[in-house]
Amino acid sequence: MSKPKVMHIDNLSLNNMLNEDSELIPLMTPEDEEIINKESVPEVLPILPLRNTVLFPGVVIPITAGRDKSIQLLKEANKGDKIIGVVAQKNEEVEEPNLQDIHTTGVVAQILRVLKMPDGNVTVIIQGKKRFEITQIIEEKPYLKATVKEALEDKEIEDEKEFEAIIDSIKEQALEVIKQNPALPSEASFAIKNIQSNSFLVNFISSNMDLSVLQKQVILEKDNLKERALLTLKNLNKELQKLKLRNDIQSKTREDLDQQQREYYLNQQLKTIQEELGGVSNDQELEEMRKQAKNKKWSKEVGETFEKELNRLKRMNPQAAEYGLQRSYLELLLELPWGVFSEDKFDLKHATKVLDRDHFGLEKVKERIIEHLAVLKLRNDMKSPIICLYGPPGVGKTSLGKSVAESLGRKYVRMSLGGLRDEAEIRGHRKTYIGAMPGRLIQNLKKAGTSNPVFVLDEIDKLGKSHQGDPSSAMLEVLDPEQNEAFYDNYLEVGYDLSKVLFIATANNLGQIPWALRDRMEIINVTGYTIEEKIEIAKRHLVPKQLKEHGLTTKDLKLGKKQIEQIVEGYTRESGVRNLEKQVAKVVRFAAKSIALEEEYEVALSSEKIEEILGTPRNRGKYETNDVAGVVTGLAWTSVGGDILFIESILSKGKGNLSITGNLGTVMKESATIALQYIKSNAEEFGIDAEILEKYNVHIHVPEGATPKDGPSAGITMLTSLVSSYTQRKVKSKLAMTGEITLRGKVLPVGGIKEKILAAKRANIKEIILCKDNEKDILEIKESYLKGLTFHYVTDMKQVIELALTQQKVKNAKKLV
């Protein structure tokens, strides 16, 4: 239905357009119809083509003439007999129609009134009389004239009852249409009820129905009244069904304007105001999103997802809570660097220079990065490896990531995992939650702007676990090169390729990383620094950095190698250089304060001045004398690197019991028990009287009781301590040892050898006893670090005792019975 109404009201308001003296009533009576039937049709008629309507007999309609020919025709006819022939055009676009452009069946019309309009057009009120057929066009200028004949009309009705039923149905349907359509005036019902002529009823309703010109012309051309009535009833029935369907739909969807709808309409008005002021409407922004999407290098799946979600956003009310979330999701899809990769630099010499410039030492790590670059250069397409740097704090694991990024020419991203307990931090929240966000991996990639950055996962060993999930399990997919090419983020809901990202994880303790996660990474041990390395790092990096941060230059303060060594040995106790940097900063602050207060100070600081600034050297870990039996120096690995450990044992009269103190773990206590049992079973070989073992209790203590200690590496140290106590023999001077023992007397290898060796050097140890299997670890350490150290490699406990104890008794040796 092209128009909302079915019937027009022209026939009901025409009286107001006529003179008050006129008695014209648009409703035809039988008498009026009889008068019209007696009238004859002229042989020649001026023909007025109508563009968009059809005139029916008896019906009064107003028409507006705009064409010059039509205006002239109406003026001349109005001056004459006021009779014209009205036909409908086949094509309303034709300006000067001829016989081929008009229907040959029309209606004789009488001009009732001519009104001149202000725009120059002429409005004429006409009434249809009789139907006619054009036989021949006799004139085309100044307007059409034609010879016509009256169209015969068959009014005979064979079955009166059937015809009456049709007429009653037409009235009922017409009244129902008027009732269903609120656009029609109430007077229309009155008009239908008061029509007495059946033929005029059919003509009146046909004229006022919302039908096309062709449909009305078909009705007009029917010669039989019954056929016209049936066709009219059919069209009325269709119109009524359409109206009922429309009204049903409206009744289902009609509801009072609630707050949300009110806000929607206000928002629509606001959008219009924004457009008027030169702003951007929501529709324009959505179109901008679609344009941006065309330039994205994403997969077909992502493209389809974006299009679907964008169409969903279009259907949403901008004031709805979900609108902002949906829009944020689409913006994330557009901002992520799909298929955007930075170009890797394959200049291996440049990469080596960058790594050497930023980090002193760390040869293994640098070698691994250069290997990766070399393979990339040869293949130009390789899944990036997952590297895990583990070692003590302050050795440069995190800062190494920046150097790797620079050497590769990639973006650098760092993500701290320390204390992370929520799995959603890795995988994101589902979009159904208010305030949902993508995981931190996706967020960082968005900030990086490329899909192949160097991504540092800091402190991966400190991932937590809670009721909100296990983040370390979520990291399994991230750090698996076979799975992360389609990493699934709960918020993103589509796979994202992480296979080109170079992940570098850092950790202090491998034991705290789940084995499945550890298995996915290439472990590289970043060991502690020697004193020589620390001095070089301080000279090259720490001192210049602190001078710059405090606004000083090398002219304001000079630290010599001797003074830096003094700081390293006297005020730091670590494998890394973090605490060393703090001490250097303290010295630099002294110079800054002196400059600010305009005080005189030494630019080249002396050792005495260093001690004055930093205080008395408080470094522990120096070797102690061997004047007391039962005190042996062991080597231990701690979270801050290597350290020396003193094992003490003492005898007291009793029943041969063993007691252990020093905040020791289960493994360390077991090592002490094994050592004692081995001594008891081999007492004669060690020169120990069995009676002493039965009549003396032995107590083993490890100093620094506030520090928890555990592990098997103190086994041979405890054995040596016990034998020294039972025999009162001296322990060899400046000797340290580390190794695990078995009940059969075997010595087993232990870990953390480099850190332990460095700790021994710091403590001025000269000789070290190790398991034979640890010899390969010593070969991997630079020879310069081993200068001044002598290594003894053993396989059983007897060798340990022979190397560690002298035949000389200690001063004030106890006489044991």
Side-chain angles (χ1 to χ4, degrees), residues 751-763:
I753 294 300
K754 183 179 178 183
E755 284 81 0
K756 292 176 179 179
I757 299 304
L758 297 180
K761 249 198 139 180
R762 288 197 296 269

Side-chain angles (χ1 to χ4, degrees), residues 456-467:
V456 174
L457 300 168
D458 221 0
E459 311 292 355
I460 198 169
D461 57 326
K462 297 174 181 64
L463 280 170
K465 188 184 291 189
S466 70
H467 65 281

Side-chain angles (χ1 to χ4, degrees), residues 651 653-654 688-696 726 728 814-817:
L651 302 179
K653 288 189 177 181
I688 301 171
D689 191 344
E691 192 177 347
I692 296 173
L693 296 171
E694 294 176 1
K695 291 185 177 181
Y696 284 88
Y726 282 125
Q728 294 293 297
K814 294 182 181 179
K815 292 183 179 180
L816 304 175
V817 178

Side-chain angles (χ1 to χ4, degrees), residues 415 417 419-431 433-444 463-475 478 487-492:
M415 174 177 163
L417 301 177
L420 202 69
R421 295 185 299 170
D422 189 355
E423 183 189 343
E425 292 285 344
I426 306 297
R427 286 195 177 278
H429 306 85
R430 299 197 180 277
K431 284 194 299 178
Y433 300 121
I434 297 297
M437 293 176 65
R440 289 168 65 183
L441 280 161
I442 296 297
Q443 290 182 44
N444 281 307
L463 280 170
K465 188 184 291 189
S466 70
H467 65 281
Q468 293 169 312
D470 182 6
S472 62
S473 298
M475 291 298 294
V478 177
F487 170 68
Y488 185 85
D489 185 279
N490 291 327
Y491 182 85
L492 201 60

Side-chain angles (χ1 to χ4, degrees), residues 674 678 682 712 715-716 719 739-749 771-773 794-800:
I674 293 169
Y678 182 76
N682 296 277
I716 63 173
L719 171 72
E740 183 181 355
I741 57 174
T742 71
L743 204 55
R744 295 175 298 149
K746 298 295 181 182
V747 178
L748 302 180
C771 173
K772 178 68 176 174
D773 292 338
V794 297
T795 55
D796 60 62
M797 296 183 189
K798 292 176 184 176
Q799 292 175 298
V800 175

Side-chain angles (χ1 to χ4, degrees), residues 625-678:
T625 61
N626 62 342
D627 294 337
V628 181
V631 179
V632 184
T633 306
L635 299 175
W637 184 92
T638 69
S639 60
V640 295
D643 201 358
I644 65 169
L645 198 67
F646 296 103
I647 307 291
E648 302 174 346
S649 63
I650 194 169
L651 302 179
S652 60
K653 288 189 177 181
K655 297 181 179 180
N657 297 327
L658 171 67
S659 54
I660 307 169
T661 57
N663 199 356
L664 308 184
T666 305
V667 176
M668 208 163 180
K669 288 178 181 178
E670 288 175 352
S671 295
T673 306
I674 293 169
L676 182 59
Q677 291 303 320
Y678 182 76

